Amino acid sequence: MRVRVGTVGGRVAVAAAFAVLLGGCAGTADDDGKTSASASVDASADAKGAAAEDTGEKATAAARGGTLGPAGSACELPVSFGVAKDWEPKSIDAEKESAQLSKGGEDGDLAGELAAAMLRQGPVTAACEIDAKPAGNIGFLRVWKGKPGDADAGGVLRAFVAAQKGAGKAQYHSFKTGGGVPAVEVEYVSADKILEETKKECAFAVGTPDGPVVLHLGGMDTREHEEMLPAYELAKSTLALS
């Protein structure tokens, strides 16, 4: 994850650069941009393992271009899953990236604050990003990791969404990945103040002996997000513990 922060435009340029990176699965955001109260009710059901009714159409999984997770892969993770053809994975060293972005005076201070928000969301830290641009889309499938011991996938996912400004109308349900790992998924929308529109987002979380893992699909807008769903479905249908 590399963001160029120039001197032209000052704080606006820095904020805009990070806004582009923040990627965006359902509905329209609440007027106040906050997570709806119904999400808490659904979350309680998730904690008890109750699956919500799924009435939406599922995207077909993308063609597989490789595997992430195992030792020697582009991103070594507590889980392994298939990565879509032509998508480009890159491991993230959150501490290193944060330190680099925080250099450079006043703008560097702002970049550092934005980096903290970008590289850490709720209880998890960015560990890997898979870039869709080589495949023709603008967005990322990002992998986030939590600390060992925080194995409640549902709780971690709710905290992840709650930490995102502008997230609303979250809907949760439980499922099992293609590798048989119990998981919790959320579909929601976020309000983008810069683009002055809402966009769909989705993520799912699993617990592992090394801590929770969250996979989040982002996109420049809802159209980009929906076009990238096959890569997300591939990850869901192939994910297993490493």
Side-chain angles (χ1 to χ4, degrees):
M1 179 188 304
R2 303 196 182 280
V3 180
R4 295 183 180 178
V5 181
T7 58
V8 179
R11 291 174 175 266
V12 175
V14 175
F18 276 89
V20 169
L21 284 179
L22 289 172
C25 262
T28 302
D30 293 331
D31 291 338
D32 58 5
K34 298 180 180 178
T35 304
S36 63
S38 62
S40 299
V41 176
D42 290 338
S44 298
D46 286 335
K48 298 178 182 179
E53 182 180 0
D54 184 4
T55 58
E57 294 183 3
K58 293 296 182 182
T60 302
R64 187 170 185 159
T67 300
L68 290 182
S73 64
C75 299
E76 297 184 8
L77 303 164
V79 297
S80 64
F81 58 91
V83 60
K85 184 179 179 181
D86 295 329
W87 284 52
E88 186 175 290
K90 174 189 171 185
S91 181
I92 298 174
D93 184 333
E95 294 297 331
K96 182 178 179 181
E97 294 281 356
S98 182
Q100 289 179 342
L101 289 169
S102 63
K103 296 178 181 178
E106 183 180 353
D107 284 344
D109 293 339
L110 177 59
E113 294 175 6
L114 290 169
M118 183 66 191
L119 297 170
R120 296 173 183 81
Q121 185 165 323
V124 291
T125 300
C128 180
E129 66 178 15
I130 311 161
D131 192 350
K133 285 195 291 295
N137 290 106
I138 302 175
F140 297 89
L141 177 62
R142 287 194 174 94
V143 185
W144 305 72
K145 293 194 305 182
K147 296 180 179 179
D150 298 330
D152 178 7
V156 167
L157 190 59
R158 291 191 292 275
F160 177 84
V161 174
Q164 180 175 335
K165 292 183 179 180
K169 295 193 174 180
Q171 297 184 6
Y172 297 83
H173 68 272
S174 301
F175 72 102
K176 281 192 176 182
T177 69
V181 183
V184 178
E185 183 174 33
V186 61
E187 300 180 345
Y188 64 104
V189 296
S190 64
D192 190 317
K193 293 183 179 180
I194 294 179
L195 298 178
E196 297 183 344
E197 62 182 27
T198 60
K199 58 184 178 181
K200 295 181 180 180
E201 303 193 37
C202 55
F204 71 94
V206 299
T208 82
D210 294 324
V213 174
V214 176
L215 272 73
H216 171 267
L217 180 66
M220 192 66 158
D221 53 30
T222 292
R223 182 182 63 80
E224 292 286 347
H225 173 82
E226 291 179 340
E227 289 181 0
M228 295 187 296
L229 280 174
Y232 176 79
E233 291 298 327
L234 174 64
K236 287 173 58 179
S237 65
T238 57
L239 186 137
L241 296 181
S242 292

